[in-house]
Amino acid sequence: PPSKGADPPSGQDDLVVIPTQNKDVCKVCDTVTWRHDATDVYFKWCKGCKRFHEIHAFAGKLKASKCDDSRARGRAGYMRRKDAPESSARS
C-alpha cells in the first residue's frame, strides 16, 4: 500500500509509514491487510475500535472495515434501538 504523509527513510523504499492518526488516510491504506515483517503477523485497522487488530479478529468477514466484536456491538445496539419503545427513543 502507498505511504501517506511522509516518505520512507532514504535507502528503505520498501517501508510504509503508518500515521499516528487515521485522519486523511486513503481508503486503500484504511482497509488493506498489513503484515509485520519481523513477526510475520497479519493485522488490519478496525474503523469501529479505531485500532489495529490481528487478522483473526476479522474472521467473520475478512473484507469488513470493522472487527467481529465491533460489528457485534453495532448489531446489539441496533437491536436495542429497534426494540425500544417509540417514546423512549425520542427522549
Side-chain angles (χ1 to χ4, degrees):
S3 61
K4 177 104 175 164
D7 292 326
S10 62
Q12 298 180 350
D13 294 333
D14 60 341
L15 294 181
V16 175
V17 176
I18 299 175
T20 56
Q21 292 186 5
N22 200 25
K23 189 177 184 179
D24 299 326
V25 175
C26 70
K27 184 164 176 70
V28 173
C29 294
D30 204 340
T31 57
V32 72
T33 300
W34 299 82
R35 185 174 69 87
H36 186 253
D37 283 339
T39 59
D40 200 35
V41 171
Y42 289 86
F43 58 98
K44 189 172 174 175
W45 177 260
C46 173
K47 289 183 180 181
C49 300
K50 308 237 184 314
R51 58 181 293 223
F52 286 103
H53 293 288
E54 288 188 24
I55 199 68
H56 61 79
F58 295 84
K61 191 174 178 184
L62 191 57
K63 298 269 185 187
S65 61
K66 295 180 182 177
C67 68
D68 294 346
D69 289 342
S70 187
R71 291 187 313 115
R73 281 192 307 272
R75 280 192 303 274
Y78 170 77
M79 294 307 288
R80 277 194 307 274
R81 289 188 305 275
K82 180 181 167 192
D83 295 338
E86 193 66 29
S87 60
S88 67
R90 291 183 181 171
S91 49

